[in-house]
Structure formats: C-alpha cells, structure tokens
Amino acid sequence: MIVLKTPEEIARIRLSGRVVHEALQAMQKAIVPGVSTTQDLENAAIEVLTRHGATSPFLGYKPSGHPPYPAWTCVSVNDELVHGVPGRRVLQDGDIVSCDVGCLLNGYYGDSAWTFAVGSISAEAERLMRVTREALLRGIEQARPGNRVGDIGSAIERYVRKAGFSVVREMVGHGVGKALHEEPQVPNFGRPGTGVLLQEGMTLAIEPMVNAGGREIRTLADGWTIATADGSLSAHFEHTIAITDKGPVILTQGS
Ligand code: MF3
Ligand code: CO
C-alpha cells in the first residue's frame, strides 16, 4: 500500500530531513585525512540527531537473515557502497566516503546519503561522484504526477551508462515518511512509462549507487557492509523528495 501524505505531513518530513542534512554536513566537517575514523563521523551525526531530539531508524534495524544494524549511520569507504558499519578505520587522503543518515523525528522519517572526498581525490573518483549526484538529480526530475516509477530509474540508468559507469541493481530506493521503508520500491534502472503511477503526496527516497567498474556486489564478513565485487570505487547519493502538483521537492536539504 502506498501512503500519500498531506502538505502538513510533508512539512513534518521536511523537518526530519533538515536534521538529516545537518548531520551529513557535520560528518563532512569531521573528515580529517589520516586522522578521523569512520566512528568519528558517526559520532558527529549522533551529536546532531540527539541535539534535535531525534533518533536513528538504522540502529537495531533488522531485515530477516541479518544481525541487527549496530550503528546510527552507515559510513562506506571506497569500494564499499552502502551499509558500512562505522568503526576504527582511519580515513586516508584520496579516499571517498559515503555517509548515509536516517532520522526519526516526531514520528516522521528522513533519509539521505552523500559521498564525500577525503583530502584530494583522483579525477576518476571526482567524476564518479559528480555523475552519481547528477544521476540522482535526473531521477528526481522525473518524480512528478503522471510519470511512473520506471521513468525515474530509466533516467538514472541512462545517464550513468553514458558516463561509462554501472548501476547497482540489488538495492533500490523506496517510499519513506511514516516509516523508513514504504512502498513503492524505486529501482535505479527501468523502462520509461512502466511501473507504479506517481501521484501528488508520494514521498520517496531516491538513491542511486554507482560503481566505477562492474555492477556486481558482495557482502563483507561483518554481514552488513556491501562492496563492489571487482574492488572498483562506488558512490551513493540519496534524497528524500515529495511529489507535488508543482513537481518534485527535495526535503533533505537545509531549506
Ligand atoms: N538508506 C538506507 C536505506 O534506506 C539505509 C538503511 S541502512 C540500515 O535502506 F542500516 F538501516 F540497514
Ligand atoms: Co534509503
């Protein structure tokens, strides 16, 4: 079942989304090449969420067949694309680090992710980040009443392919707002004009994961971290958006 939100509910999701945005900014600020650990980034996000009276829907999240997720955020480095568990790993100059933050504030959920550079990165890593961010924006652009879910995925996939990179297919975006994961699923690939009809009042997390090499993935021994199978770099950008009569509105930014 797809839950449509009223403008009042969308405003509440935006409040949660603002906290997510602030937490992501704090994580980026906490990056000191050769010094900060992934746990330091986690701690920066925890400080922001806690200060706003929010909690993390990731902590203790337990899909079947998984151990409960042990942290507030996901911090994934280089070939890790998502669900990296923060810990003692030190971020090194030239790394890229994908930070994923969910927020539960007064019953409403926001979800956003961003890949940051650690110090100075290669031109190829820079291009991967730029293409993934642009792919997200191309997908968001399609999130308007009358379009279909396949229009979002196909816009993302087409743009990524043209750049010579590949889209991960096993993990997808999702409805979000009254729960962390709602219907519909939002794949980062698809055919135009197919899938669920998009309507005013839908709130979606759109989140392309893009690999510099092949699209295949593997799960690391911790049971959570997902990495590229071929060891190539991966980037991840995600926004929570609302579909309105005026088109898509991003809810996980500062305004
Ligand atoms: N942004 C991811 C998602 O929407 C985060 C889930 S991470 C987990 O699925 F840690 F909670 F699993
Ligand atoms: Co998400």
Side-chain angles (χ1 to χ4, degrees):
M1 193 194 52
I2 294 174
V3 191
L4 299 179
K5 283 84 175 181
T6 64
E8 292 71 27
E9 289 174 311
I10 291 171
R12 288 173 190 273
I13 298 168
R14 189 199 289 274
L15 290 178
S16 185
R18 264 187 213 155
V19 176
V20 172
H21 176 78
E22 191 182 330
L24 283 169
Q25 283 187 315
M27 293 175 91
Q28 181 176 27
K29 263 208 184 142
I31 296 172
V32 183
V35 176
S36 41
T37 63
T38 54
Q39 182 68 44
D40 292 331
L41 274 55
E42 157 94 349
N43 292 346
I46 292 175
E47 191 281 322
V48 172
L49 268 66
T50 306
R51 179 155 43 75
H52 287 279
T55 56
S56 167
F58 296 177
L59 183 67
Y61 177 71
K62 196 186 174 324
S64 61
H66 275 265
Y69 188 73
W72 288 52
T73 69
C74 303
V75 183
S76 310
V77 183
N78 293 339
D79 60 316
E80 301 171 358
L81 42 141
V82 288
H83 302 172
V85 180
R88 298 162 67 141
R89 179 170 182 169
V90 176
L91 296 171
Q92 302 295 347
D93 188 64
D95 285 347
I96 60 173
V97 59
S98 299
C99 297
D100 192 341
V101 177
C103 173
L104 170 57
L105 180 68
N106 298 325
Y108 292 85
Y109 293 77
D111 189 8
S112 179
W114 208 271
T115 301
F116 299 117
V118 179
S120 57
I121 62 174
S122 69
E124 185 69 349
E126 189 72 59
R127 191 171 75 91
L128 176 68
M129 285 171 49
R130 198 173 56 240
V131 165
T132 309
R133 190 172 55 229
E134 178 64 24
L136 169 60
L137 296 178
R138 302 273 178 124
I140 291 173
E141 179 59 28
Q142 295 298 318
R144 41 184 80 247
N147 276 3
R148 292 182 180 270
V149 161
D151 293 313
I152 297 174
S154 104
I156 291 170
E157 187 183 29
R158 200 152 17 93
Y159 185 76
V160 169
R161 278 198 185 194
K162 236 191 263 163
F165 297 139
S166 56
V167 163
V168 173
R169 300 173 85 95
E170 289 84 348
M171 279 154 316
V172 298
H174 48 93
V176 64
K178 304 273 281 174
L180 178 63
H181 295 133
E182 300 177 349
E183 286 179 36
Q185 292 200 341
V186 185
N188 299 299
F189 57 91
R191 279 193 300 126
T194 66
V196 170
L197 182 64
L198 301 177
Q199 297 175 60
E200 194 179 330
M202 285 185 176
T203 46
L204 305 176
I206 304 177
E207 50 176 318
M209 288 145 267
V210 174
N211 298 348
R215 70 169 179 86
E216 295 76 18
I217 59 171
R218 66 194 183 101
T219 305
L220 302 191
D222 62 15
W224 272 105
T225 311
I226 314 279
T228 58
D230 61 10
S232 66
L233 292 178
S234 187
H236 180 212
F237 285 82
E238 174 180 26
H239 270 308
T240 296
I241 63 108
I243 299 176
T244 75
D245 58 350
K246 293 179 196 66
V249 177
I250 296 174
L251 303 177
T252 38
Q253 53 190 17
S255 54

